[in-house]
Amino acid sequence: GDSVTQMEGPVTLSEEAFLTINCTYTATGYPSLFWYVQYPGEGLQLLLKATKADDKGSNKGFEATYRKETTSFHLEKGSVQVSDSAVYFCAQTDQGGKLIFGQGTELSVKP
Amino acid sequence: KAGVTQTPRYLIKTRGQQVTLSCSPISGHRSVSWYQQTPGQGLQFLFEYFSETQRNKGNFPGRFSGRQFSNSRSEMNVSTLELGDSALYLCASKPPGTVNTEAFFGQGTRLTVV
């Protein structure tokens, strides 16, 4: 069945370091792909999205490219800040439109 | 535009009781979905409602049910609560468009079953 796998955390970085969180998916159709972020005690916020192969989603310095050939959607940011500390979820839509999430990757950024 | 609003934010219930959670979607959104988030199972889809009809359903027991009203507001009910039902319950709404469009989430309702 459809699934999403993302790298395990926690990931600990120093401020201004480069961030990569790996995400791969398996899908029977042509899903849309998303990254959501969850801050402590809150719901999920949409960070970025891509709806078809080779699309690049970007927001707040974060980027991810929909790679159909490698079934990947890795999240990157060139210079992280303490305020980026949160849990990041990669997700895809299945053919019925429901979201299938990865297990989440906790990011901790130290000053 | 107001976001997705869930009430209440926190609930404590006793095993065996039932509970009703409420969700008001973003204005103009007719699709409302519910997800359960637990440390062990992560984020799991419960069901989706569109125009007062259940359009999609996840793999949860019949104790979990929902409904949607004509104004698109939705409620989720869990009967005969079990300790394992303790979780963050998230509601999401989708704008009109394809089924693959993005979902916008509320802050969630934290349910604790004791």
Side-chain angles (χ1 to χ4, degrees), chain A residues 21 23 33-35 47-52 54-59 61-67 72-77 90:
Chain A
I21 300 178
C23 170
L33 301 175
F34 307 91
W35 277 100
L47 183 59
L48 52 83
K49 67 175 184 179
T51 58
K52 60 184 187 299
D54 299 325
D55 267 3
K56 178 188 276 190
S58 61
N59 186 26
F62 291 89
E63 293 183 340
T65 301
Y66 191 142
R67 301 282 187 205
S72 65
F73 192 55
H74 305 321
L75 182 69
E76 296 182 335
K77 187 176 186 185
C90 183

Side-chain angles (χ1 to χ4, degrees), chain A residues 4 23 32-36 73 89-93 99-102:
Chain A
V4 174
C23 170
S32 291
L33 301 175
F34 307 91
W35 277 100
Y36 283 88
F73 192 55
F89 292 92
C90 183
Q92 64 164 311
T93 48
L99 286 166
I100 298 169
F101 289 91

Side-chain angles (χ1 to χ4, degrees), chain A residues 30-32 34 36 38 41-44 46 49 89 93-99 101, chain B residues 9-10 35 37 43 45 48 56 88 90 94 99-108:
Chain A
Y30 301 94
S32 291
F34 307 91
Y36 283 88
Q38 187 174 37
E42 297 191 11
L44 300 176
L46 178 66
K49 67 175 184 179
F89 292 92
T93 48
D94 72 358
Q95 290 180 306
K98 78 170 186 273
L99 286 166
F101 289 91
Chain B
R9 289 291 309 275
Y10 302 93
Y35 292 81
Q37 185 178 23
L43 283 150
F45 172 78
E48 179 194 11
N56 208 345
L88 181 67
L90 293 163
K94 285 187 176 183
V99 293
N100 283 344
T101 193
E102 65 269 29
F104 296 89
F105 284 81
Q107 301 259 50

Side-chain angles (χ1 to χ4, degrees), chain B residues 12-24:
Chain B
I12 300 176
K13 290 288 188 179
T14 303
R15 198 169 42 180
Q17 287 186 313
Q18 74 163 11
V19 67
T20 298
L21 313 182
S22 180
C23 172
S24 292

Side-chain angles (χ1 to χ4, degrees), chain B residues 22-23 49 51-52 67-75:
Chain B
S22 180
C23 172
Y49 285 86
S51 293
E52 302 178 66
R67 59 178 177 168
Q68 187 180 34
F69 303 94
S70 59
N71 62 357
S72 294
R73 189 177 71 85
S74 178
E75 288 182 346

Side-chain angles (χ1 to χ4, degrees), chain B residues 30-98:
Chain B
R30 291 162 61 194
S31 163
V32 174
S33 298
W34 290 88
Y35 292 81
Q36 181 196 65
Q37 185 178 23
T38 60
Q41 299 299 316
L43 283 150
Q44 294 186 287
F45 172 78
L46 281 153
F47 28 66
E48 179 194 11
Y49 285 86
F50 181 83
S51 293
E52 302 178 66
T53 301
Q54 189 179 86
R55 185 159 74 172
N56 208 345
K57 189 176 187 307
N59 295 323
F60 278 81
R63 300 185 297 107
F64 292 81
S65 63
R67 59 178 177 168
Q68 187 180 34
F69 303 94
S70 59
N71 62 357
S72 294
R73 189 177 71 85
S74 178
E75 288 182 346
M76 190 191 96
N77 184 274
V78 189
S79 62
T80 319
L81 283 165
E82 300 177 359
L83 296 179
D85 296 333
S86 295
L88 181 67
Y89 290 89
L90 293 163
C91 170
S93 71
K94 285 187 176 183
T98 69

